[in-house]
Amino acid sequence: MSLSSRHLLQLEGTPKKDLDLILDTAESFREILDRPIKKVPPLRGKTVVNIFYEPSTRTKLSFELAEKRLSADTMTFTTAMSSVRKGESLKDTVRNIEAMKIDMVVVRHSSAGVPYYLTQCLEANIINAGDGTHEHPTQGLLDIFTIRQKYGKIKGLRVLLVGDLKHSRVARSNIWGLKTLGASVAICGPSTLLPYEAEKFGIDVYTDIDEAMEGVDVVNILRIQLERQKAGLFPSQREYTNLFGITTERLKRLNKNYTIMHPGPMNRGVEISNDVADSPASVILSQVTNGQAVRMAVLYLLSGAEEQGNKV
Amino acid sequence: MNKNNAHEIMDDHKMARAITRIAHEILERNGGAESLVIVGILTRGAHLAARLAETIKGIEGVDIPVGLMDINLYRDDVHFNPDQPEVRKTEIMFDIDEKNLILVDDVLYTGRTIRAALSQIIDLGRPWTVQLAVLVDRGHRQLPIRADYVGKNIPTSFEDNVRVYFTESDESDQVVLYPATDKKSKNGEIK
Amino acid sequence: MQFDLLIINGTLMDPGFGFTKKADLGIKDGKIAKVFDEGKLTRKVIDKFPAESIVDAEGAIVTPGLVDIHVHFREPGREDKETIQSGSRAAAAGGFTTVACMPNTQPAIDNQETVKFVTSLAEKGDCRVYCVGAITKNRDGEELSEIGDLVKAGVVAISDDGDYLQNPEMMRRALEYARMFDIPVISHAEDEFLAGGGIVNESFESSRLGMQGRPAVAEEIAILRDIKLAGLTGGRLHIAHVSTAGGVEAIRRGKAEGVKVTAEVAPHHFTLTDDLIGEKFDTNLRVNPPIRSEADRQAMIKGLIDGTIDCIATDHAPHTEEEKDVEFDQASPGMIGLETSLGLAITELSDRGYLAIPDLLRKMSSNPAKIIGLEPNSLNEGEVADITIFDPEARWVVKKEKFLSKSKNSPFVGRKLKGKIKATVMGGRITYRAK
């Protein structure tokens, strides 16, 4: 049982069998989270380093916990305590860390392609925890896992992503993963916040939220970053909420047994109303729990994959 | 595996008799079924666990909680294996604290699987006792572990292969010994 | 007659004067002293000649020295990337005998002193180095440089290259003023409001990679504006490194309307496309203007064929390893190009049947020379001996360690090319000879 790559860099191009293996394995790990002792030994003796060049609370915590629950030794390094500001290059920083004899690196960085770059400088297994606005594969996987948990399948479902699609790494990972697994994917947001030539992702593109919601099973609501408004990409928060905010009223067009998701952190009252966020259809907290199981699965599966590389 | 020299150790009748005997022994030693829970090690230990529970129900008329356990996360050879073993679901939907837990596997060999299972059990709770039931004990222990209930003791050489088949996953109920033919041993591998 | 240098057994190709013939050249005092028709130069003369002063051009084409009107030699200011010395050596290795340096040095080439500094360093170098002066003082787009002074010091054009002159009024003045001296104003045509912050071409590729795009329209608008202003003022406009189909079309129409506009294309814009970026996030592919789509690449080739694009210029932009071995969006934009230009042009243009070799050579020698007001090089007797000798059939692989440029930032490393420089002669001196 192994993945076809020794790194997890992106869901674009990740084959279906790898996605299935990660999701199936996550299913097994999900049970461990309900045990009195939420810890298993397979990464005993492995050292995992979390390198966060961008502020993050939940992803960082989720990875740290997942690593600890697999009995790995972990350390976390964030920009605040890094030598980045002292002018050290990324390459030197990560090589210094690797010289401390580590096995895996979880990296978040504001530049797209950094996880790939690290595979070229390091021998460790690399997991992308978000690179610029490119991809955030474990978030995509946990969203997909959460959907599969509810419906028992992905194939044939209609999933709508709403919000700032242009600057969303979560959206890109969701789109690629869902499409590989046979879902039909649509996006909806202000036209200034849609990726250029977005239809080339092989998805349906909407700017009218009510039209977009028609026949949808899962709505994944992305966080709208308020600094985009200052950059002139939409006129005001008020107008955004009026045009794209998800309210109970708007849910009527969805399929029965619909699901509401949000990768967090939420701006309640902006992209999602309170009653939608807290409704029975909302699986927002399950997403957080499932994130643990998915990250444990990824760490577990990649930790075995070193022999294929240049490490003996 | 040498299919040509394979010979049957137990047929379906012998297996059924052994399972019935083990069920009686378990009940006798624990003074009934009240405090019992059964946990089978995936895959074929789980089949045996289900058979034992069924047999006990036939004798005592009570349903004993039965769980499944995957021991792969607790293996001691993870770092020696280039491929990560597949992780299947452990399903123990009941409390094991203060219970007499009957741990079930098909074949007892080096004892490493049982060691892994015991480690996992300790992470899951604190049973009053853990008792081990196996259908076949083929010897060659590498750890200080013994079975409390044994269907049949079979003398083997280290390189031989012993397979237990259950109709749940195989064609018939049967125990087969495949004698070693070549030098390719499976040293240290957990069966 | 006594010669300093003989170039023998080659095929002379002088597209400017329109001849191709087998002949030998005798060079004396930096000039082409004698053209010997095939067989006229006797074995006896050759055998007596010292071997180090003979270039055997067997199987090769002997052509007037190549000219690159867009290079960055980084001196003064960033001698760690390139110097006049190392840059001119790289130019010679690429077959160039003349280059024009862009003024975005530190300090900028916006005064006579800096021009004199650069040209004095170039005297010892391996090619002729001309300066392009800055349009505005310190290239900051505020006040015109002393352009008359710069011309007196020898600048051949003016440009604020690296930046687009955002203020259209300033651009109008520059074109009007430069007209007095009959020098072109070279425009790095990218509207900063539209392109600013972008690191790759805006396309599905930028969407896929989540990288901010530089839209084609930023170039198109900038070119259209400058053509309008050139039309208004009658000044000479040269569009640097055109990269978009729309940009080429704008230039085509400008020419048809009689505007004095010329254009260049860089080899990477007719060879590379933006879908390569996501493969390895190679920072050497980061360049402004960015490498574009396949349709744009095709438009470059079409523009070269129909004459809309007058010449090939490398935009040779050296950067240190430290500046390139970083995150993609942190990498300095630009790539070196002098040593791969002819090989790429032959491989991608001639070999694929788009441009015959004489047409190609025109775009790499006589046309660019004319744009910056130089007399084109030629192989006629009495002319200055600036000569490029290359084997159009030789195949080679681009190797990082073989670059003579101080910087090695080329995305073409590992690429197989056809067409290889055998030797370069500048003023009768061998400035490069292949091993």
Side-chain angles (χ1 to χ4, degrees):
Chain A
M1 279 298 128
S2 57
L3 299 171
S4 39
S5 165
R6 53 187 294 264
H7 309 290
L8 179 66
L9 306 181
Q10 55 182 44
L11 294 192
E12 181 184 2
T14 300
K16 180 173 183 301
K17 69 168 185 53
D18 282 8
L19 298 178
D20 286 338
L21 177 59
I22 294 169
L23 296 171
D24 291 346
T25 306
E27 201 85 55
S28 303
F29 280 113
R30 178 66 188 78
E31 170 267 326
I32 292 164
L33 302 175
D34 295 329
R35 292 184 187 178
I37 295 177
K38 299 169 184 58
K39 187 164 180 145
V40 287
L43 263 63
R44 221 155 43 90
K46 300 261 183 190
T47 309
V48 186
V49 183
N50 305 299
I51 306 180
F52 280 71
Y53 278 89
E54 259 189 359
S56 156
T57 310
R58 58 189 66 208
T59 304
K60 193 173 74 181
L61 288 177
S62 179
F63 265 110
E64 280 178 351
L65 259 179
E67 291 149 10
K68 287 179 175 153
R69 287 180 169 164
L70 293 169
S71 306
D73 295 312
T74 74
M75 51 185 193
T76 299
F77 164 94
T78 56
T79 32
M81 52 189 264
S82 79
S83 47
V84 175
R85 304 239 165 103
K86 295 179 203 153
E88 189 179 50
S89 75
L90 173 64
K91 190 174 188 170
D92 284 331
T93 305
V94 294
R95 281 193 164 167
N96 265 291
I97 291 171
E98 193 179 49
M100 299 174 193
K101 301 293 170 198
I102 54 135
D103 301 292
M104 303 179 91
V105 171
V106 174
V107 63
R108 164 163 298 184
H109 198 289
S110 58
S111 303
V114 160
Y116 177 87
Y117 177 69
L118 295 193
T119 66
Q120 305 300 296
C121 330
L122 302 181
E123 289 183 0
N125 308 94
I126 309 294
I127 298 174
N128 181 4
D131 61 332
T133 55
H134 177 217
E135 284 222 39
H136 189 355
T138 57
Q139 178 72 43
L141 284 164
L142 79 88
D143 288 346
I144 292 166
F145 181 84
T146 307
I147 298 170
R148 199 178 85 152
Q149 196 176 41
K150 174 158 172 182
Y151 296 95
K153 59 166 188 181
I154 296 296
K155 203 178 160 97
L157 293 175
R158 173 83 164 169
V159 181
L160 173 68
L161 296 150
V162 182
D164 179 359
L165 280 305
K166 191 185 182 100
H167 302 96
S168 175
R169 52 189 170 212
V170 175
R172 284 173 181 77
S173 290
N174 262 280
I175 290 169
W176 295 119
L178 286 165
K179 281 180 53 64
T180 303
L181 295 173
S184 121
V185 183
I187 62 171
C188 180
S191 37
T192 46
L193 293 177
L194 296 177
Y196 187 78
E197 297 185 332
E199 62 290 341
K200 288 195 180 167
F201 281 101
I203 56 179
D204 300 315
V205 182
Y206 296 90
T207 50
D208 177 336
I209 188 68
D210 294 311
E211 202 186 315
M213 300 278 266
E214 200 72 58
V216 162
D217 298 295
V218 179
V219 185
N220 199 341
I221 303 157
L222 305 170
R223 175 181 168 77
I224 191 85
Q225 287 186 315
L226 302 174
E227 54 268 30
R228 305 291 177 213
Q229 185 259 323
K230 294 197 188 82
L233 290 166
F234 59 95
S236 68
Q237 192 178 303
R238 181 175 160 274
E239 176 148 317
Y240 181 86
T241 306
N242 283 340
L243 291 174
F244 299 98
I246 304 297
T247 55
T248 308
E249 185 58 30
R250 286 199 160 127
L251 301 178
K252 285 178 185 153
R253 289 165 181 254
L254 298 176
N255 285 349
K256 263 185 264 164
N257 195 27
Y258 64 82
T259 303
I260 302 296
M261 303 177 81
H262 193 302
M266 285 185 275
N267 294 309
R268 286 176 183 260
V270 182
E271 71 261 8
I272 185 168
S273 71
N274 247 331
D275 46 350
V276 172
D278 300 329
S279 75
S282 157
V283 293
I284 295 167
L285 290 174
S286 310
Q287 285 174 272
V288 178
T289 316
N290 291 339
Q292 293 272 298
V294 164
R295 292 183 174 115
M296 284 169 81
V298 168
L299 287 157
Y300 171 75
L301 291 167
L302 290 178
S303 75
E306 59 190 332
E307 275 76 6
Q308 297 161 15
N310 31 17
K311 212 172 189 178
V312 185
Chain B
M1 213 184 298
N2 180 357
K3 300 245 168 174
N4 299 327
N5 296 327
H7 54 270
E8 188 180 72
I9 306 284
M10 298 173 93
D11 61 12
D12 53 343
H13 295 292
K14 282 185 184 159
M15 268 175 70
R17 277 199 292 275
I19 290 166
T20 308
R21 178 172 51 75
I22 292 172
H24 280 287
E25 285 176 16
I26 290 170
L27 288 168
E28 191 179 337
R29 176 158 160 193
N30 293 285
E34 208 172 313
S35 63
L36 292 181
V37 296
I38 300 187
V39 173
I41 297 172
L42 286 168
T43 311
R44 287 182 180 75
H47 299 328
L48 182 56
R51 298 273 185 100
L52 278 170
E54 197 186 314
T55 312
I56 288 171
K57 188 179 181 184
I59 301 166
E60 295 280 292
V62 279
D63 280 310
I64 304 177
V66 182
L68 314 175
M69 179 182 280
D70 178 76
I71 57 97
N72 277 333
L73 291 174
Y74 287 81
R75 289 168 69 121
D76 59 9
D77 61 349
V78 185
H79 296 299
F80 298 90
N81 223 334
D83 262 8
Q84 288 292 65
E86 179 187 357
V87 181
R88 294 158 298 180
K89 224 174 184 169
T90 291
E91 281 178 45
I92 298 173
M93 314 299 232
F94 45 83
D95 196 356
I96 63 169
D97 289 346
E98 302 301 314
K99 296 288 175 11
N100 290 309
L101 187 151
I102 313 297
L103 180 64
V104 180
D105 204 2
D106 54 346
V107 178
L108 179 58
Y109 180 33
T110 61
R112 288 179 191 266
T113 301
I114 306 305
R115 197 285 307 160
L118 288 170
S119 298
Q120 175 151 230
I121 289 168
I122 287 160
D123 285 354
L124 295 171
R126 189 178 184 281
W128 184 247
T129 62
V130 178
Q131 301 160 31
L132 176 61
V134 298
L135 190 61
V136 173
D137 182 346
R138 53 166 296 196
H140 303 288
R141 216 76 76 239
Q142 293 170 342
L143 295 170
I145 280 168
R146 63 164 177 77
D148 299 278
Y149 313 100
V150 178
K152 190 175 173 61
N153 285 292
I154 306 171
T156 60
S157 83
F158 189 78
E159 288 80 12
D160 292 345
N161 209 317
V162 176
R163 281 295 176 89
V164 178
Y165 297 109
F166 288 97
T167 49
E168 286 88 336
S169 54
D170 313 296
E171 275 176 23
S172 58
D173 282 353
Q174 201 184 15
V175 180
V176 181
L177 173 70
Y178 300 93
T181 46
D182 49 37
K183 298 272 184 307
K184 247 196 265 164
S185 85
K186 304 208 159 188
N187 248 333
E189 184 194 340
I190 296 180
K191 151 57 223 50
Chain C
M1 195 186 238
Q2 204 52 43
F3 299 112
D4 302 329
L5 182 69
L6 292 180
I7 299 169
I8 58 168
N9 301 329
T11 301
L12 303 196
M13 189 181 279
D14 188 336
F17 285 84
F19 64 80
T20 300
K21 62 181 179 188
K22 287 282 278 184
D24 303 318
L25 292 179
I27 288 155
K28 171 86 180 153
D29 297 332
K31 300 224 160 109
I32 298 170
K34 182 78 185 156
V35 180
F36 297 94
D37 284 338
E38 198 176 4
K40 291 281 162 62
L41 188 62
T42 60
R43 198 72 241 167
K44 237 168 84 185
V45 179
I46 296 168
D47 287 346
K48 272 198 286 180
F49 214 73
E52 67 273 17
S53 298
I54 298 178
V55 177
D56 186 351
E58 181 66 50
I61 290 173
V62 178
T63 192
L66 303 182
V67 177
D68 186 347
I69 60 170
H70 193 147
V71 302
H72 300 270
F73 279 178
R74 305 299 187 204
E75 196 172 7
R78 287 305 303 267
E79 294 82 357
D80 54 329
K81 299 183 191 217
E82 195 83 284
T83 60
I84 305 292
Q85 190 80 30
S86 66
S88 70
R89 216 174 292 143
F96 294 95
T97 56
T98 298
V99 299
C101 282
M102 284 297 169
N104 61 338
T105 46
Q106 295 160 8
I109 306 178
D110 62 358
N111 59 73
Q112 282 195 338
E113 281 315 305
T114 317
V115 178
K116 281 178 192 159
F117 173 77
V118 170
T119 38
S120 70
L121 284 172
E123 277 163 23
K124 288 166 275 173
D126 286 334
C127 76
R128 300 181 199 282
V129 176
Y130 289 91
C131 285
V132 175
I135 300 173
T136 59
K137 284 177 188 147
N138 202 28
R139 296 176 51 252
D140 59 13
E142 302 282 325
E143 290 173 53
L144 288 180
S145 310
E146 291 174 335
I147 294 167
D149 244 27
L150 287 168
V151 171
K152 247 184 231 164
V155 307
V156 290
I158 51 170
S159 177
D160 276 358
D161 183 62
D163 296 306
Y164 182 55
L165 198 48
Q166 298 297 334
N167 181 346
E169 166 70 3
M170 185 61 71
M171 186 62 177
R172 173 187 176 164
R173 292 275 152 72
L175 282 159
E176 275 172 347
Y177 199 79
R179 198 182 56 185
M180 294 195 296
F181 311 102
D182 195 30
I183 56 166
V185 179
I186 302 178
S187 175
H188 176 134
E190 274 192 298
D191 184 279
E192 263 312 294
F193 289 105
L194 287 164
I199 53 172
V200 295
N201 181 37
E202 180 176 86
S203 68
F204 177 61
E205 289 303 315
S206 64
S207 291
R208 200 170 71 86
L209 301 174
M211 289 182 179
Q212 196 174 332
R214 296 176 89 86
V217 74
E219 176 175 295
E220 292 159 12
I221 286 178
I223 291 177
L224 285 166
R225 184 202 77 175
D226 286 352
I227 287 176
K228 278 285 170 202
L229 292 172
L232 174 72
T233 58
R236 279 174 59 199
L237 172 69
H238 177 71
I239 302 296
H241 42 53
V242 60
S243 67
T244 60
V248 175
E249 186 52 35
I251 296 161
R252 189 174 285 128
R253 280 197 216 151
K255 285 189 166 183
E257 286 163 15
V259 176
K260 287 184 206 157
V261 57
T262 51
E264 72 191 29
V265 63
H268 46 270
H269 287 128
F270 64 74
T271 52
L272 302 174
T273 46
D274 61 354
D275 54 324
L276 293 166
I277 290 165
E279 282 181 13
K280 295 187 173 215
F281 297 93
D282 180 359
T283 53
N284 291 321
L285 294 170
R286 185 171 176 209
V287 60
N288 291 337
I291 54 170
R292 306 274 186 187
S293 70
E294 178 58 19
D296 292 308
R297 192 182 78 86
Q298 291 296 339
M300 297 307 116
I301 294 171
K302 199 164 162 255
L304 280 165
I305 294 170
D306 71 11
T308 304
I309 299 173
D310 304 88
C311 69
I312 294 168
T314 62
D315 192 9
H316 177 83
H319 291 296
T320 62
E321 188 107 3
E322 292 82 356
E323 288 166 309
K324 280 293 191 182
D325 193 9
V326 293
E327 300 90 318
F328 191 88
D329 62 357
Q330 303 297 310
S332 304
M335 61 180 83
I336 56 168
L338 284 166
E339 294 168 74
T340 47
S341 184
L342 183 71
L344 285 165
I346 290 176
T347 310
E348 296 295 330
L349 301 174
S350 306
D351 219 34
R352 294 182 194 279
Y354 296 123
L355 278 185
I357 294 223
D359 296 328
L360 184 67
L361 293 174
R362 223 171 268 130
K363 296 204 188 273
M364 293 184 74
S365 180
S366 52
N367 287 1
K370 284 181 214 156
I371 290 169
I372 56 170
L374 302 180
E375 198 60 40
N377 295 325
S378 136
L379 297 180
N380 289 322
E381 279 176 11
E383 295 287 346
V384 172
D386 280 8
I387 299 163
T388 301
I389 299 134
F390 67 98
D391 181 344
E393 298 298 325
R395 288 169 195 279
W396 58 294
V397 177
V398 182
K399 295 213 171 93
K400 193 172 171 181
E401 62 275 13
K402 292 275 170 75
F403 283 125
L404 297 185
S405 170
K406 212 164 183 179
S407 294
K408 318 290 174 196
N409 54 308
S410 169
F412 298 110
V413 170
R415 203 173 171 107
K416 293 190 186 96
L417 296 181
K418 195 175 166 187
K420 195 172 188 315
I421 303 296
K422 284 190 96 160
T424 308
V425 172
M426 189 265 290
R429 177 165 69 87
I430 298 174
T431 49
Y432 174 78
R433 195 201 276 258
K435 304 246 154 50

